[in-house]
Amino acid sequence: MSLSMRDPVIPGTSMAYHPFLPHRAPDFAMSAVLGHQPPFFPALTLPPNGATALSLPGALAKPIMDQLVGAAETGIPFSSLGPQAPLRPLKAMEPEEEVEDDPKVHLEAKELWDQFHKRGTEMVITKSGRRMFPPFKVRCSGLDKKAKYILLMDIIAADDCRYKFHNSRWMVAGKADPEMPKRMYIHPDSPATGEQWMSKVVTFHKLKLTNNISDKHGFNWPSDHAAWQGNYSFGTQTILNSMHKYQPRFHIVRANDILKLPYSTFRTYLFPETEFIAVTAYQNDKITQLKIDNNPFAKGFRDTGNGRREKRKQLTLQSIRVFDERHKKENGTSDESSSEHATFSCFAQASSPAVSTVGTSNLKDLCPSEAESDAEAESKEELVPETCDAAKISTTTSEEPSRDKGSPASLKPHLFGAEPSGRARDSARPDKASPDSRHSPATISSSGLAMSPFGSLFPYPYTYMAAAAAASSAAASSSVHRHPFLSLNSMRPRLRYSPYSIPVPVPDGGGLLSSALPAMAAGPLDAKAAALAASPASVAAVDSGSELNSRSSTLSSSSVSLSPKLCSEKEAATSELQSIQRLVSGLEAKPERSRSGSP
DNA sequence: TCTCTCACTTC
DNA sequence: TGAAGTGAGAG
């Protein structure tokens, strides 16, 4: 029983979406119901507001990443820190005075990202790790100045395809390779106050991309808490598959301690223009040139200057001219002008409303196949400017609350772009002022997304503008229909998504940590199980099931079998519970886990 | 396709 | 000054 790496891309429940999700969270929750405490949480006590939290005395405080990395590098198995470290329960976690926040995130250097995106951004991955360029930078606003936040970033597979660069364009070359271990990058300044975050551009330039599955820059969560196992690890390098398409995600978590992450609400933001294909060597010359032109470190390769590129150019200039002359005479024309847009086709298509389909999910719609004719490609090129214009509407995303828990049908316009998102949304939310031009005019409820019975792409403008996926639902575990833009989720005001909930009393007016989904609080496992059989309509009330509904209703070619999954989950739940019992009883040694994680 | 080394860059 | 970040290009 294991979710695929790409699972979070799939629209689903906010719970299922949670990056750490705890595909085994329900198991743990069940154990809690039965009175078992998670292993390594020696004296777990529940704070008065119902939240469950622990903190490490300073040891894991800021800068979190440095210390986590340090622990990893010094060979200290992080998983061993749990029982040995002086864990202490948060005694009286006073219900904080929680100032309402309404985070908005603005992508920095959007124009540059757009330039790359329309050509099909490539990011080089190496064994030792390469940085992203352009670097992922955002500016936050709307945070509670005094509250502390942890900012994170991860990169998820954008679809289920493997690509190849053929005839100057990216084409689908088959099904995606097996997923790599998932990694979450915690911004090294975390946690910091909202004021601090808002005072500067938050940059994730230190995150590196690698194709080295043995990479040692990752480490598991310092606990054998079931919810953390086998899902995400943390690290400064994220492992990707070459020739696969990826989508970076940005997360805001209101929490003053990293150990509260599993219990906290994630607000997730996607910027479609940051999508890219991982490569070990650049495929598209235009991307190479863009990198050279814009990356300071690549200055030496610019035409202007005395770098080796210039020297080399001079040396080969003559031979190139001879070749060009001959080539033109033979072909009469050059494909130079068309290749630029052509290379973008697979990117543009993935986000263009024009290619949304109604009906079952069709990979070919997501990823242009090689069989696609040039004529078709040409026609798609015309979409490019339009799509880009839509993208320019805003780079600021907002996690907007949704009060729309309507039926799937009522949400279809959001999903398929039948009408401008703002209109549809505004009509459903008359009390919500029209968003300004910088902010998302659209808000999609998680249930709506999850309930999409068609598996079609989310229209680009909508997804783009409503990228706030707070709680964003990107979850789910379908191996076929997954698209980050579908992972939009919003909830009724202030009802934020909690990674998983522990079934404890949740008093009204509780803090952030008490915002677990009611359905899950009532019994996560049961809720999930119920959701398995739920009809699309019923999912509106059971967020945790939306993932599954989405899966069952959208995948025509999915290999996922729901019932077996449920069975296996229950079996695993039982096994997990037994394991926890043994651990609590000290009868079982902690399993040593690979720091780099395993798929 | 991928890995490694190189010359060149920034910081 | 040196560590680290670049794409090129050979293999």
Side-chain angles (χ1 to χ4, degrees), chain A residues 507-591:
Chain A
D508 288 342
L512 167 70
L513 299 177
S514 65
S515 59
L517 294 172
M520 299 314 295
L525 187 59
D526 285 345
K528 190 164 186 174
L532 282 167
S535 67
S538 68
V539 179
V542 186
D543 269 1
S544 61
S546 55
E547 148 199 11
L548 299 162
N549 277 283
S550 171
R551 188 188 304 162
S552 60
S553 60
T554 61
L555 303 181
S556 62
S557 57
S558 171
S559 60
V560 175
S561 175
L562 297 179
S563 295
K565 183 178 188 300
L566 177 59
C567 291
S568 63
E569 284 188 359
K570 286 186 174 178
E571 287 173 8
T574 303
S575 171
E576 181 74 18
L577 182 56
Q578 292 171 344
S579 174
I580 290 171
Q581 287 176 308
R582 284 196 296 272
L583 286 164
V584 171
S585 303
L587 297 176
E588 182 176 288
K590 282 175 301 167

Side-chain angles (χ1 to χ4, degrees), chain A residues 26-50:
Chain A
D27 312 331
F28 163 65
M30 183 173 75
S31 69
V33 169
L34 299 177
H36 298 286
Q37 291 185 350
F40 308 156
F41 282 20
L44 184 66
T45 58
L46 302 179
N49 65 357

Side-chain angles (χ1 to χ4, degrees), chain A residues 189-429:
Chain A
D189 291 345
S190 302
T193 64
E195 186 170 25
Q196 290 172 312
W197 288 123
M198 291 188 290
S199 69
K200 61 186 178 186
V201 171
V202 180
T203 175
F204 289 87
H205 66 280
K206 287 185 178 176
L207 171 66
K208 288 186 176 181
L209 313 180
T210 182
N211 58 349
N212 183 11
I213 196 167
S214 306
D215 177 74
K216 295 294 188 295
H217 293 81
F219 31 87
N220 292 326
W221 191 248
S223 158
D224 276 353
H225 191 308
W228 296 87
Q229 291 182 39
N231 198 20
Y232 259 86
S233 62
F234 293 83
T236 52
Q237 296 201 3
T238 190
I239 309 171
L240 307 178
N241 272 320
S242 182
M243 312 305 273
H244 289 61
K245 194 191 288 183
Y246 291 94
Q247 170 68 61
R249 298 191 302 185
F250 172 63
H251 312 272
I252 296 178
V253 179
R254 183 168 178 161
N256 57 17
D257 190 311
I258 191 173
L259 288 183
K260 292 177 185 171
L261 276 176
Y263 313 95
S264 303
T265 299
F266 273 63
R267 306 183 203 228
T268 298
Y269 301 83
L270 295 177
F271 298 95
E273 58 269 64
T274 60
E275 179 184 62
F276 65 86
I277 288 182
V279 297
T280 54
Y282 288 121
Q283 308 292 306
N284 183 354
D285 291 343
K286 288 182 166 43
I287 290 298
T288 308
Q289 195 57 49
L290 268 178
K291 300 251 184 181
I292 290 171
D293 291 343
N294 293 281
N295 190 332
F297 286 106
K299 239 178 190 173
F301 300 105
R302 293 180 187 171
D303 290 340
T304 56
N306 301 318
R308 117 185 100 169
R309 179 187 174 87
E310 179 68 14
K311 293 169 186 170
R312 189 176 57 252
K313 271 189 93 174
Q314 291 173 356
L315 288 172
T316 59
L317 188 60
Q318 191 165 359
S319 59
I320 289 174
R321 281 177 180 164
V322 170
F323 177 82
D324 283 349
E325 290 297 323
R326 188 177 306 169
H327 187 71
K328 285 179 181 176
K329 285 178 182 175
E330 290 174 353
N331 298 314
T333 182
S334 166
D335 63 348
E336 182 74 4
S337 59
S338 62
S339 63
E340 176 171 318
H341 287 315
T343 57
F344 170 56
S345 62
C346 85
F347 283 78
Q349 195 171 14
S351 50
S352 167
V355 296
S356 293
T357 59
V358 175
T360 55
S361 174
N362 186 341
L363 261 182
K364 292 291 188 294
D365 292 325
L366 282 165
C367 324
S369 72
E370 195 166 357
E372 176 183 83
S373 70
D374 286 345
E376 285 175 315
E378 290 290 335
S379 67
K380 287 192 190 88
E381 288 173 21
E382 296 175 6
L383 294 173
V384 173
E386 181 182 348
T387 306
C388 291
D389 286 345
K392 286 172 185 168
I393 292 172
S394 167
T395 51
T396 302
T397 61
S398 167
E399 181 212 35
E400 294 201 25
S402 168
R403 290 149 213 183
D404 187 349
K405 293 285 182 181
S407 68
S410 72
L411 289 156
K412 267 194 284 184
H414 294 287
L415 294 167
F416 305 111
E419 61 177 293
S421 58
R423 252 176 280 158
R425 169 137 199 93
D426 289 346
S427 64
R429 301 176 52 206

Side-chain angles (χ1 to χ4, degrees), chain A residues 464-478:
Chain A
Y464 177 77
M465 295 183 292
S472 113
S473 47
S477 32
S478 151

